[in-house]
Amino acid sequence: MSKTPQAIRGTQDIFGPDAEAFAFVVETFERVRKLYRFRRVEMPVFEKTEVFARSIGETTDIVSKEMYSFEDRGGESLTLRPEFTAGIARAYLSNGWQQHAPVKLATHGPLFRYERPQKGRYRQFHQIDAEIIGAGEPQADVELLAMADQIIRELGIDGVTLHLNTLGDGDSREAWRAALVEHFRAVKDELSEDSQERLEKNPLRILDSKDRRDQRFVADAPKIDQFLSDDARAFFDAVTSGLDAAGVKWTRAESLVRGLDYYRHTAFEFIPDEGSEAAGKLGSQSTILGGGRYDGLMESLGGAPTPAVGWAAGIERLAMLVGEKRWPSIDDFPIAVVPIGASAEETAQYISSRLRRGGFSVEMAFRGNVKKRMQKANSANAMIALIFGDSELDQGIVKMKDLESGVETEILLPNIPDDIVGYLVEKVEAKKAASL
RNA sequence: GCGAUCGUAGCUCAGUUGGUUAGAGCGCCGGUUUGUGGUACCGGAGGUCGCGGGUUCGAACCCCGUCGAUCGCCCCA
């Protein structure tokens, strides 16, 4: 193209309805997270590379080929965060947050992964994230999942189900993994090329392969349930019965595994139901929220053994699913202020400012002739316009036009906030009632 | 890293087997009562057809390369 610089591949400039949906996801998250008493935490977007390399696992794709790493001027290797959990764990250890344990943390922001962009996947993407650190009880898992469920529900997203599995404790997981390797190695030549790779690198992943050649052998593969210790089984039972009590719908997904090394016990993903509207909107990216328990992570960063559980969800993916069934709110209908003439424009600033300080959104039309200003009022979605020039101001009034009915009434200047606001609130309430 | 499709006005796209000044809708600006919008009518601005090279008398159209986008595989939110 020309000399104008382009945005970097896999990054996006979000504007308009997409940006509104994005903000709606974040606002909903912030509101619900307070109901569950999760505390807000802010962290750097970059860390020493070892923070991610050691915790996520050297052999995972994220660490081996998807990190944005660079050397700073001191020659130290730094990395833009590819996920939240590792950085939160590091912050927990560096700041001695053990003193707050068990601590419930929530954050959101940008993450970076050097991947091929496609629908619902970007190189800079955004997540909301929730973690409970220092709690080994299954009740922590339940509360965390209940919050996830409520957020999705309050976003108006339907047709999404919680898929739940357990990976057992460390020993259970290792025994299961060994049995899986043995099972698949016997038929290695008949597996897909990808799965032959996975056999060495990440055998659990063969279980959710999309390749038909693999699926034949997945059905009779060893199940985690055969390897669960009594404790691990009791833990999982407590999680599932807790979810039932909390009214969170879930389904068992025996072959659900998570990619990263640090997961133990509970693993879960919220996935659109097959054939649902949500599934169609997401393309081949199916998971909108995923997480699990990571009891081993703190040790990999040199901390004391610390149980923890958490999840993260892609804001862009959630935003794609947000419905338009939001009730009309008073902010959707600004008051249009339409001054005519220079002295009226000054008064318009005064009136606008009073209305805004009173909590009402105001669109002030200050360009072009009256016709242009009225067009502006209309395209701003205003329901009422305040129109006034010298002749009105001399009389100490403004004209209030109902833009739906076209009816104009006169308002005395001193009555401006109250009369207008009362009129507008009434109209919005009527709209709300009509939309129910 | 691999594969497929695609790149024409701000946006969505049309452009017949290569043929002369490249079109439409929407949006934008202006006008149809210079103090009144949503509908309608009129006018206008805006494109070296992603970029570079090649074939040809002639390329938006064919070929090669390159950059970018989209979708899928891997992986993942």
Side-chain angles (χ1 to χ4, degrees):
Chain A
M1 293 247 337
S2 57
K3 312 107 199 165
T4 334
Q6 292 179 314
I8 292 169
R9 172 191 289 248
T11 65
Q12 20 167 17
D13 305 306
I14 311 172
F15 178 68
D18 291 344
E20 297 302 328
F22 189 106
F24 179 55
V25 171
V26 173
E27 285 159 13
T28 303
F29 173 69
E30 274 295 302
R31 184 167 47 76
V32 175
R33 145 249 140 173
K34 288 175 191 164
L35 303 178
Y36 284 78
R37 307 286 293 168
F38 276 64
R39 301 168 75 177
R40 181 71 208 205
V41 56
E42 301 291 344
M43 283 147 350
V45 293
F46 60 148
E47 297 272 356
K48 292 183 183 177
T49 297
E50 62 176 319
V51 170
F52 306 112
R54 283 166 59 181
S55 59
I56 298 172
E58 300 276 1
T59 61
T60 59
D61 276 20
I62 291 180
V63 172
S64 62
K65 55 186 198 195
E66 294 176 3
M67 294 204 304
Y68 273 97
S69 299
F70 59 97
E71 278 191 8
D72 72 1
R73 298 189 182 201
E76 183 146 43
S77 177
L78 307 180
T79 295
L80 301 181
R81 64 187 178 195
E83 60 143 41
F84 277 117
T85 306
I88 290 180
R90 191 234 86 219
Y92 179 88
L93 295 172
S94 356
N95 298 301
W97 289 344
Q98 290 93 338
Q99 62 181 315
H100 304 299
V103 61
K104 297 189 280 191
L105 301 174
T107 193
H108 66 82
L111 302 167
F112 306 85
R113 256 129 77 169
Y114 195 89
E115 293 184 280
R116 193 70 179 245
Q118 60 185 267
K119 192 173 198 172
R121 169 199 280 177
Y122 309 94
R123 286 186 173 178
Q124 175 177 335
F125 59 107
H126 303 80
Q127 288 185 341
I128 53 178
D129 183 277
E131 317 274 349
I132 303 180
I133 304 179
E137 296 84 351
Q139 297 317 320
D141 303 45
V142 173
E143 192 171 43
L144 187 81
L145 283 164
M147 180 166 82
D149 184 71
Q150 184 165 347
I151 290 168
I152 290 171
R153 212 180 282 273
E154 298 209 4
L155 287 172
I157 296 172
D158 297 320
V160 169
T161 304
L162 167 58
H163 292 235
L164 191 65
N165 195 18
T166 179
L167 305 173
D169 47 37
D171 292 342
S172 313
R173 179 175 155 146
E174 277 320 301
W176 182 39
R177 179 190 162 105
L180 281 173
V181 171
E182 195 181 340
H183 172 78
F184 287 117
R185 183 162 286 155
V187 293
K188 178 174 179 180
D189 295 341
E190 297 175 66
L191 294 173
S192 67
E193 297 76 18
D194 285 331
S195 285
Q196 294 189 25
E197 283 277 316
R198 285 188 273 236
L199 191 53
E200 307 302 330
K201 267 174 53 184
N202 197 351
L204 305 198
R205 275 279 158 197
I206 300 177
L207 293 174
D208 54 11
S209 167
K210 290 171 188 166
D211 198 301
R212 285 208 179 144
R213 288 172 288 175
D214 300 330
Q215 286 167 353
R216 290 180 296 162
F217 303 109
V218 167
D220 60 341
K223 301 281 190 282
I224 178 65
D225 290 11
Q226 301 159 11
F227 301 91
L228 285 182
S229 63
D230 290 346
D231 285 352
R233 170 164 299 287
F235 188 95
F236 190 58
D237 289 344
V239 171
T240 56
S241 59
L243 288 173
D244 292 338
V248 176
K249 291 206 181 94
W250 57 279
T251 180
R252 177 71 195 272
E254 284 187 318
S255 60
L256 186 152
V257 297
R258 308 239 69 231
L260 311 182
D261 285 358
Y262 51 60
Y263 285 108
R264 302 283 184 278
H265 287 291
T266 321
F268 52 84
E269 293 180 354
F270 281 79
I271 302 175
D273 305 332
E274 265 187 65
S276 69
E277 192 186 348
K281 285 181 185 166
L282 280 174
S284 66
Q285 314 305 322
S286 51
T287 303
I288 59 171
L289 183 152
R293 184 160 274 284
Y294 50 94
D295 291 350
L297 174 58
M298 291 295 174
E299 289 156 273
S300 70
L301 290 176
T306 308
V309 59
W311 55 249
I315 297 176
E316 289 89 347
R317 292 186 188 177
L318 289 169
M320 282 192 279
L321 304 181
V322 166
E324 290 163 49
K325 45 187 136 182
R326 293 170 54 200
W327 291 1
S329 121
I330 197 151
D331 296 331
D332 298 328
F333 306 104
I335 299 165
V337 173
V338 181
I340 302 166
S343 63
E345 281 176 6
E346 214 158 274
T347 308
Q349 294 292 6
Y350 167 74
I351 292 174
S352 300
S353 152
R354 291 208 61 174
L355 289 167
R356 286 167 175 155
R357 285 174 190 169
F360 293 88
S361 65
V362 171
E363 184 80 37
M364 185 175 142
F366 50 78
R367 170 176 292 185
N369 56 27
V370 180
K371 182 187 173 94
K372 290 299 164 197
R373 296 179 186 213
M374 289 304 292
Q375 285 176 345
K376 174 79 173 173
N378 196 60
S379 64
N381 204 28
M383 285 200 295
I384 60 176
L386 303 182
I387 307 163
F388 50 92
D390 290 343
S391 56
E392 284 80 9
L393 295 179
D394 287 348
Q395 300 172 57
I397 59 159
V398 301
K399 284 182 179 163
M400 178 175 78
K401 180 164 186 173
D402 184 320
L403 292 175
E404 291 181 319
S405 64
V407 174
E408 277 185 26
T409 47
E410 294 183 349
I411 302 272
L412 288 170
L413 272 172
N415 297 344
I416 272 193
D418 300 339
D419 284 7
I420 294 161
V421 161
Y423 188 81
L424 182 62
V425 168
E426 223 169 89
K427 282 186 73 79
V428 172
E429 287 306 319
K431 263 202 187 310
K432 254 188 217 175
S435 73
L436 281 182

